[in-house]
Amino acid sequence: FDELFTHNPKVVAFGEDLGFIGDVNQGFSGLQVKHGEERIFDTGIRELTIMGQAIGMAFRGLRPIAELQYLDYLLYGLQPLSDDVATTHYRTKGGQSCPVIIRTRGHRLEGIWHSGSPMGMVINALRGMYVCVPRNMVQAVGMYNTLLKSNDPAIVIERLNGYRLKE
């Protein structure tokens, strides 16, 4: 993430506990101090509002990475993702896009029905968005870099077990 913020001034990241503490798994640790509170910041505990902020920023030319602490909370921000983000490109005949990246974590890649995983809902409700589930953090880096070069919206579900690996 440090490289993304260093080289792309349009990238912003925000969410619950993302700025000050660097997210619950420390993926953004120290980056708010380095890149500023205008680009990496905390939000209130309201997933629906976080999705709305991401949409507004994307429509204004920024490249938002909106953080949801865990995949289980996606349900509370699902409506604008399925109705607005996933369909903007098609509803405008390609005239407009909403290139948001929703960053979350939680899936353990143990089956779509394991431990209450909402993956079945995600895959079916977010047609029009990429659903990326990297197996490790090296794949995650590649996915973020690729997504930021496109104008397509996506959700990146970082695997919880990936934080335990040394790569």
Side-chain angles (χ1 to χ4, degrees):
F1 290 115
D2 188 27
E3 286 293 316
L4 291 177
F5 282 87
T6 299
H7 298 310
N8 190 341
K10 292 185 176 186
V11 177
V12 294
F14 54 95
E16 301 163 14
D17 295 323
L18 184 75
F20 183 69
I21 69 168
D23 89 38
V24 293
N25 292 97
Q26 303 299 294
F28 275 79
S29 182
L31 295 182
Q32 184 183 55
V33 171
K34 184 173 183 179
H35 297 285
E37 293 181 13
E38 296 79 29
R39 294 188 64 204
I40 301 172
F41 56 93
D42 293 318
T43 65
I45 302 173
R46 183 74 171 146
E47 289 77 12
L48 187 61
T49 303
I50 295 169
M51 298 304 102
Q53 288 173 298
I55 292 167
M57 289 178 185
F59 282 167
R60 285 162 181 82
L62 296 174
R63 299 307 303 257
I65 299 173
E67 163 93 13
L68 295 180
Q69 282 188 351
Y70 294 104
L71 180 61
D72 303 20
Y73 302 130
L74 181 69
L75 180 63
Y76 304 109
L78 189 66
Q79 187 273 329
L81 293 178
S82 65
D83 288 353
D84 301 318
V85 174
T87 62
T88 296
H89 183 79
Y90 304 101
R91 288 188 300 156
T92 62
K93 297 182 183 179
Q96 191 172 15
S97 59
C98 189
V100 303
I101 296 174
I102 307 305
R103 176 182 183 246
T104 190
R105 65 201 53 80
H107 195 56
R108 296 189 187 273
L109 300 178
E110 296 172 355
I112 63 171
W113 293 282
H114 183 75
S115 300
S117 170
M119 288 299 286
M121 173 198 66
V122 169
I123 291 167
N124 289 296
L126 298 180
R127 290 174 281 168
M129 288 182 71
Y130 285 105
V131 177
C132 303
V133 186
R135 289 191 170 275
N136 55 47
M137 296 307 163
V138 173
Q139 285 185 359
V141 168
M143 290 178 183
Y144 285 114
N145 287 334
T146 300
L147 291 168
L148 285 166
K149 291 178 183 173
S150 77
N151 263 344
D152 297 313
I155 178 170
V156 178
I157 305 163
E158 296 175 3
R159 192 172 152 235
L160 278 170
N161 291 343
Y163 292 100
R164 298 182 185 136
L165 301 175
K166 296 288 183 193
E167 300 180 55

